[in-house]
């Protein structure tokens, strides 16, 4: 972003600096009890992770705070990840907790550029849960695994008493092999890069909200849950090491992912609001609910930061893949005001897009 | 076991054959709803796994039904495993859900002879759960990881609404490298092998039961939760490929583990009841509750099947390790009547030791 050197510009810069100083302070966990916000993937989740988990487990791999660990085992670079799924309802248009879990773990592996290979599945079931529902979930997991080219090779099942859980929770973990020599990560973005999204955002979160039936909205929207390893392979095949960073925009949405990248790379991101693909159904539901689609979770969309010189090839590679058909260039990486994410609105203004605060959309994954 | 050729012997053989025919039938899941028994690690768990998960995910690695998958990634033999933990109470004498989860996953890796390397941790938290309890659990996980020489490199946290879970569930997954060339597994036992246990059985399950306070028993007993990778390395160092099979005796206890080995290897196991180490407090609690210690879970004890010619070296190697100090030779592998586990009782009789049926001890891990 070029900065206005007039009085107004200086004032704006001062405000941004103050915001930045406040944000730069180490995370302090003031809560004595867990709230839904701690599971939302936004600010409270980050604080909990830093204050509790990083403080206890501190090691350089975890501290990278990527969606997957990349670590060495027997001379091979492995990607390793886990996700707990507590989505409610368990079945929703376009998917269920089963394919959501498989695709989510496959995607976390794929975002490191790894080839996903093996998955584990841990089930926590409530006494009384219908076996027919479990069978349907297992079938959906199997289908998703086949589609993603992975095998579910190990698992565990626990049962808790009636009333001690709600139905079925699934925790998947996954292992893949990183075969390319370059490092993808939130810390790799540089001024001059472009920001792409692989398709319309917010479908999954909106679908689950509508499926709960609490909103009185009807919609033909479906979850975008899908395995992104193929689209990643297409993108890396076209642009190789000029791809800086890949992140699937799940909890916290595109806004939170971009904030993570801005912070880890010490850069700013300027989004063009008009360029961000959002389906009319998602936009409509978001307006009714007072939500910003930038914060609504996707489960089959990724953000890619790519060297600007390769933006055309990157877009073409994504658009040639069925899951990237509607890929768009939505923003640019700039040096200042790091590490903020700014959005140029349709009305010509600029607003700061912070990480998600609170949890407007609990239990969407 | 040598068979009596007289009339009585023939009659006994016929009874055993009938039992065997009934047990050899494919698992049929009659239940329409999940019961606590499906999570107990015994007969109902096996049936659920076969009828739902194996039927959906079928692949040769999963079908081995070991506690871990051993699979190839980038030319390296990896061990990969997962466990969900729902123990109640979360804190108990000798441990808590945190070190239980880390040790349990480390042990599942170690039972394949793998060197455990990396762990993931997925948390499902109930809204309102005290952050201080979570911090204590994380500290306990960190300590257990350090003791076991593994790193917790990736994780995930979800939060469900108050009343939708009870406190904290932890699902760990783990990755290790299998560096030895031979295959350990439940299918490797042969007639003539001996069966060892690495220490007194039933401590963990009894401790958790007593800690619930429902029984009105007081006890100085502590959980045996511990990482067994060191003891496994000592045993493999001493006996190498003459170790056939290792299994940690968790849910379902030693009885269930031995049944799994007998079935997978097509052999029979004859246990000497007097030789099985059981602490007096465990024996006492088991008598009050009408339980057999052979079915009570351990979390730091393993069953090892070893070539009889190496039994002395195996025992010495285990006993030289702090976690195998009280290791004992408790039985022998024989050809008939496969695949049953028999127990020679203190009174000179013989009884069949089946897999666990029902769930007398819910939520012990």
């Amino acid at each position: 972003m070029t900065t206005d050197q007039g009085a107004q510009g200086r004032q704006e810069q001062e405000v941004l600096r103050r915001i930045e100083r406040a944000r730069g302070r180490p995370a302090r966990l003031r809560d004595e009890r867990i709230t839904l916000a701690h599971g939302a993937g936004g600010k409270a989740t980050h604080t909990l992770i830093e204050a509790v988990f990083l403080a206890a487990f501190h090691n350089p791999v975890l501290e990278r705070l990527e969606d997957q660990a990349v670590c060495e085992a027997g001379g091979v670079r492995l990607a390793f990840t886990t996700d707990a799924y507590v989505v409610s309802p368990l079945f929703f248009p376009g998917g269920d907790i089963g394919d959501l879990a498989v695709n989510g773990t496959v995607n976390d592996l794929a975002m490191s550029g790894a080839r996903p290979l093996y998955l584990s599945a841990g089930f926590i079931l409530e006494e009384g849960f219908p076996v027919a529902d479990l069978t349907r979930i297992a079938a959906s997991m199997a289908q998703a695994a086949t589609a993603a080219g992975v095998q579910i090779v190990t698992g565990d099942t626990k049962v808790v008493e009636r009333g001690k859980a709600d139905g079925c929770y699934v925790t998947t973990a996954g292992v893949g092999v990183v075969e390319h020599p370059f490092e993808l990560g939130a810390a790799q973005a540089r001024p001059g890069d472009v920001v792409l999204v692989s398709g319309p955002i917010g479908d999954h979160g909106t679908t689950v909200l509508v499926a709960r039936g609490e909103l009185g909205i009807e919609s033909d929207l479906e979850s975008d849950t899908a395995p992104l390893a193929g689209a990643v392979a297409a993108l890396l095949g076209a642009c190789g090491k000029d791809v800086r960073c890949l992140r699937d925009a799940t909890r916290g949405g595109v806004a939170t992912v971009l904030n993570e990248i801005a912070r880890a790379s010490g850069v700013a991101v300027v989004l063009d609001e008009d360029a961000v693909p959002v389906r009319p159904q998602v936009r409509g539901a978001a307006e009714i609910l007072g939500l910003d689609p930038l914060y609504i979770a996707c489960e089959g969309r990724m953000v890619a930061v790519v060297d600007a010189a390769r933006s055309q090839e990157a877009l073409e590679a994504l658009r040639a893949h069925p899951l990237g058909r509607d890929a768009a260039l939505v923003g640019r990486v700039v040096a200042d005001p790091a590490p903020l994410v700014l959005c140029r609105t349709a009305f010509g203004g600029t607003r700061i897009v912070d990480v998600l605060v609170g949890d407007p959309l609990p239990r969407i994954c």
Side-chain angles (χ1 to χ4, degrees), chain A residues 19 46 71-72 76 83 193 199 217 227 236 238 265 287 297 301 321 340:
Chain A
I19 291 170
H46 286 220
C71 38
E72 182 275 338
V76 171
D83 275 301
D193 291 345
I217 305 175
L236 291 178
S265 294
E287 271 173 22
R301 305 287 178 232
H321 192 277
L340 296 185

Side-chain angles (χ1 to χ4, degrees), chain A residues 59-85:
Chain A
N59 64 63
V61 181
L62 186 64
E63 277 153 18
R64 286 174 63 236
L65 286 178
E66 295 290 344
D67 289 342
Q68 74 299 113
V70 174
C71 38
E72 182 275 338
V76 171
R77 274 174 81 210
L78 287 184
F80 182 32
T81 191
T82 191
D83 275 301
Y85 290 86

Side-chain angles (χ1 to χ4, degrees), chain A residues 83-90 92 94-107 140-141 144 170 172 204 208 223-226 250 298-300 363-365:
Chain A
D83 275 301
Y85 290 86
V86 298
V87 64
S88 169
L90 295 171
F92 46 81
D96 59 44
I97 193 171
D99 50 13
L100 193 67
V102 169
N103 289 334
T105 293
V106 163
N107 290 348
S140 154
M141 293 178 79
V170 182
T172 37
H204 176 74
V208 172
S223 169
D224 55 318
T225 179
T250 58
C298 321
E299 290 288 343
R363 310 282 301 274
I364 47 95
C365 62

Side-chain angles (χ1 to χ4, degrees), chain A residues 77 178-184 241:
Chain A
R77 274 174 81 210
V178 183
E179 287 159 333
H180 59 76
F182 40 93
E183 192 167 351
L184 296 169
K241 68 173 177 41

